[in-house]
C-alpha cells in the first residue's frame, strides 16, 4: 500500500516540510513517485518515519540520526554499531529522565508547601476548608 506525503506526515506527526528536509539530508530514502511525480510512501517508509520521530522525541541529535540511517543503509554488518548508538542514546535519555524527575520532585514539594500554607491561612482567618 502506498501513502501520499500528507498521509505520511499525518501518520508520523511530522510536517510535510520536515519530511522533505529528512529526505534532503539523507534520513529518509527518496520515496517512489506516482505517475504525476508526487511522492508515495510505503508502509515500511511510514514505520521508519515513526522510528525517526521517536528518536527526535527522545532528543537524539540529527547528526546521530544521520549516522544511524547511514549505517542502516550499509546493512546487517552494521547491527552492532547501530545497537551501540541506541544503547548510548538510551543511557542519555535515562539521565535526562532522572534529571526531570528530580525537578518534578522539587515542583511537587513547592506545590504541597503552598497548599499547606494557604490552607493554614484560611483556617487562621476562620474559613472552612
Amino acid at each position: 500500500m502506498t501513502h501520499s506525503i500528507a498521509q505520511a506526515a499525518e501518520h508520523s506527526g511530522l510536517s510535510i516540510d520536515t519530511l522533505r528536509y529528512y529526505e534532503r539530508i539523507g534520513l529518509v530514502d527518496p520515496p517512489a513517485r506516482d505517475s504525476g511525480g508526487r511522492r508515495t510512501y510505503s508502509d515500511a517508509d511510514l514505520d521508519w518515519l515513526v522510528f525517526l520521530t521517536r528518536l527526535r522525541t527522545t532528543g537524539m541529535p540529527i547528526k546521530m540520526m544521520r549516522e544511524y540511517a547511514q549505517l542502516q543503509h550499509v546493512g546487517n554488518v552494521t547491527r552492532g554499531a547501530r545497537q551501540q548508538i541506541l544503547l548510548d542514546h538510551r543511557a542519555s535519555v535515562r539521565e535526562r529522565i532522572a534529571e526531570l524527575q528530580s525537578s518534578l520532585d522539587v515542583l511537587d514539594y513547592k506545590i504541597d508547601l503552598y497548599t499547606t500554607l494557604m490552607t493554614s491561612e484560611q483556617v487562621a482567618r476562620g474559613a472552612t476548608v
Side-chain angles (χ1 to χ4, degrees):
M1 182 170 192
T2 61
H3 310 274
S4 69
I5 193 169
Q7 291 169 324
E10 183 179 341
H11 181 80
S12 65
L14 298 169
S15 70
I16 290 173
D17 288 337
T18 299
L19 288 177
R20 290 182 179 135
Y21 171 69
Y22 279 9
E23 181 183 339
R24 206 169 43 252
I25 66 170
L27 276 178
V28 175
D29 289 336
R33 303 275 179 155
D34 66 14
S35 59
R38 293 176 295 269
R39 291 167 171 86
T40 60
Y41 294 84
S42 68
D43 289 338
D45 292 332
L46 295 185
D47 290 344
W48 177 248
L49 290 172
V50 169
F51 179 66
L52 291 175
T53 301
R54 298 282 162 76
L55 293 179
R56 282 301 292 153
T57 298
T58 62
M60 181 179 276
I62 293 285
K63 181 180 179 180
M64 190 180 296
M65 291 170 62
R66 288 181 68 197
E67 180 182 349
Y68 185 93
Q70 290 167 352
L71 291 169
Q72 176 88 8
H73 287 297
V74 173
N76 292 341
V77 297
T78 65
R79 283 180 178 160
R82 286 182 278 154
Q83 181 188 36
Q84 191 59 54
I85 289 171
L86 296 177
L87 287 167
D88 293 344
H89 185 62
R90 180 177 66 183
S92 172
V93 169
R94 285 183 170 158
E95 287 174 15
R96 284 189 28 239
I97 289 171
E99 290 170 2
L100 286 171
Q101 184 61 56
S102 177
S103 296
L104 182 60
D105 292 345
V106 170
L107 289 173
D108 287 342
Y109 169 78
K110 281 297 213 181
I111 290 167
D112 291 345
L113 176 64
Y114 287 132
T115 300
T116 300
L117 291 172
M118 290 187 306
T119 301
S120 297
E121 289 171 358
Q122 288 174 350
V123 169
R125 288 192 311 257
T128 58
V129 183

